[in-house]
Amino acid sequence: MISIEGLRKTFTTKDKEITAVDGITLDIEEGEIFGVIGYSGAGKSTFVRLINRLEEPTSGKITIRDKEITALNANELRLARQEIGMIFQHFNLLWSRTVEENIAFPLEIAGVPKRERMERVQELIDLVGLNGREKSYPSQLSGGQKQRVGIARALANNPKVLLCDEATSALDPETTNSILDLLVDINKKLGLTIILITHEMHVIRKICQRVAVMEHGKIVEQGDVLEVFTNPKQPVTRKFVAQVMGTDKEDEDIHYLLSSIKEGKLLRLHFIGEATQESVISDVIRKYPIDINILQGKITQTQGGGYGTLFVQAKGEEAEIEKAVAYIREETSAEVEVVANDKRVISKHNI
């Protein structure tokens, strides 16, 4: 669907050159929600603006549905942009126009007749849940409502691609979730390919199928969201994952848990994908004469499945605990670690 090859953008200032996007090569599948995450200054917003040539690439090639965007002249690009919608962090609405007039604006530019235009506007108002606010001005809307207007406007010309540049960064958590749910709904109903730029990992977790991590203008890691969550390779990726999973506090948690148990073993279980649905604890209790005390746990859902960590205290004869650990390793899809009193993992089995 979208093929990006060797994409590069260099800005020239008075005394030096700054490379904002540095040789990105990437393929995005039709109909997927693809996330691009990075800290401020990573180059992600420049990258997304290069896709529809709001910024001109210094070099590289962008192809969308067999159309080479980087080779189009001005008139061809204007027509191609009708198939590429875009929403922004700060909405970019026309403040002197009502909701319906903002949504109708790209249709006016495209020369769509008024009757057809208004029918399309009403369809979009229904789609994004703005019924009753048609005559309102942006100053009369909440942040979430403004972004819904921005989404409807971006969809006016029936685009095949929707670019979202920090679309939820100016919103509170509850409103962010409602906008993300709307994007998922639009993706399913319309089959849109969505490229979502963000610095918030919970946004990636909630709606994206795949993710690319940017740092210093480069993509340093990419893959399915669940794989990136469970096996982050780069330091910057591990920081983002820690935002959601709380793994940055895990050493502190282990220290507290070890100090709180007076007998038995501390086990840490990891569950990935379908393993989160397995009745591992109840199976172990039925099979072995040991007691299991659940101390702490968390499961995080992604579009590709769940990922969870569970800390338990296993009490009983040491030989029976060892049998139970061996059973989890050999007969279930879970990963189990036995945590020693010096806070080092002394036994680990990987899926």
Side-chain angles (χ1 to χ4, degrees):
M1 169 60 176
I2 301 176
S3 176
I4 298 165
E5 301 175 42
L7 191 63
R8 183 180 177 88
K9 177 63 178 179
T10 301
F11 294 98
T12 302
T13 64
K14 186 176 181 179
D15 53 359
K16 63 178 179 179
E17 284 191 345
I18 299 172
T19 301
V21 174
D22 192 1
I24 287 180
T25 295
L26 187 66
D27 289 319
I28 297 169
E29 299 299 325
E30 184 167 3
E32 77 172 322
I33 304 179
F34 190 95
V36 179
I37 191 167
Y39 288 111
S40 179
K44 57 190 186 298
S45 289
T46 301
F47 165 69
V48 78
R49 289 168 65 86
L50 290 170
I51 293 175
N52 61 359
R53 282 178 57 187
L54 287 179
E55 292 283 355
E56 285 293 334
T58 303
S59 60
K61 181 179 176 181
I62 301 168
T63 305
I64 300 178
R65 306 190 95 195
D66 299 322
K67 184 179 293 182
E68 188 179 339
I69 300 298
T70 40
L72 301 180
N73 61 36
N75 288 333
E76 293 169 335
L77 179 60
R78 179 177 59 82
L79 293 174
R81 280 178 176 158
Q82 292 182 8
E83 295 191 346
I84 308 172
M86 189 165 187
I87 57 177
F88 305 86
Q89 177 180 358
H90 297 297
F91 320 125
N92 287 11
L93 302 181
L94 299 170
W95 293 87
S96 61
R97 284 179 169 242
T98 63
V99 166
E100 61 184 6
E101 290 169 342
N102 265 281
I103 297 170
F105 185 63
L107 296 171
E108 292 175 25
I109 294 174
V112 176
K114 184 175 181 179
R115 182 174 177 178
E116 183 180 341
R117 190 165 69 226
M118 296 315 296
E119 288 177 356
R120 177 61 177 158
V121 167
Q122 191 57 54
E123 287 176 6
L124 292 165
I125 285 173
D126 293 341
L127 179 66
V128 302
L130 284 173
N131 301 86
R133 305 312 301 263
E134 293 90 337
K135 305 298 183 183
S136 300
Y137 288 90
S139 61
Q140 299 171 312
L141 303 176
S142 67
Q145 289 170 333
K146 291 172 188 173
Q147 195 57 284
R148 287 173 185 268
V149 177
I151 292 170
R153 181 184 59 187
L155 298 176
N157 283 311
N158 290 299
K160 303 298 186 292
V161 177
L162 181 62
L163 308 178
C164 305
D165 187 10
E166 298 279 9
T168 60
S169 295
L171 305 176
D172 62 75
E174 183 176 350
T175 306
T176 290
N177 283 332
S178 70
I179 294 298
L180 295 177
D181 289 340
L182 175 60
L183 291 174
V184 171
D185 187 50
I186 288 168
N187 169 256
K188 291 178 179 177
K189 286 181 178 178
L190 305 181
L192 273 178
T193 302
I194 298 177
I195 302 176
L196 191 147
I197 304 299
T198 185
H199 63 274
E200 300 168 300
M201 196 63 173
H202 76 274
V203 171
I204 299 292
R205 173 195 65 79
K206 186 173 176 66
I207 73 169
C208 296
Q209 284 101 24
R210 291 195 299 142
V211 62
V213 183
M214 283 192 70
E215 188 175 34
H216 306 308
K218 297 177 180 291
I219 290 179
V220 297
E221 189 165 353
Q222 63 173 296
D224 293 342
V225 170
L226 183 59
E227 172 62 24
V228 170
F229 260 78
T230 56
N231 188 30
K233 295 178 174 61
Q234 298 297 321
V236 64
T237 312
R238 289 194 287 270
K239 287 181 182 179
F240 279 122
V241 171
Q243 290 179 4
V244 177
M245 294 303 299
T247 49
D248 52 342
K249 297 181 179 179
E250 202 159 272
D251 285 344
E252 182 181 332
D253 292 340
I254 291 173
H255 177 78
Y256 170 77
L257 293 172
L258 281 168
S259 65
S260 67
I261 64 174
K262 305 303 180 185
E263 58 178 307
K265 299 284 188 181
L266 177 63
L267 308 182
R268 174 166 50 186
L269 286 82
H270 296 284
F271 303 88
I272 300 173
E274 294 182 0
T276 58
Q277 306 299 317
E278 292 185 31
S279 54
V280 175
I281 300 300
S282 58
D283 287 348
V284 168
I285 292 172
R286 282 196 297 267
K287 290 179 178 293
Y288 302 98
I290 63 174
D291 293 323
I292 299 288
N293 180 23
I294 297 175
L295 304 174
Q296 180 176 303
K298 181 177 182 180
I299 292 179
T300 296
Q301 293 296 330
T302 74
Q303 288 292 313
Y307 169 67
T309 300
L310 185 67
F311 285 95
V312 303
Q313 177 188 14
K315 297 189 293 183
E317 296 292 334
E318 186 164 342
E320 295 300 326
I321 294 175
E322 289 177 357
K323 290 178 184 177
V325 169
Y327 167 79
I328 295 171
R329 291 174 179 163
E330 295 167 7
E331 303 297 333
T332 77
S333 300
E335 174 185 325
V336 61
E337 303 169 347
V338 182
V339 185
N341 287 328
D342 61 359
K343 295 187 292 183
R344 288 186 296 106
V345 174
I346 61 172
S347 180
K348 182 174 182 178
H349 169 71
N350 292 316
I351 295 175

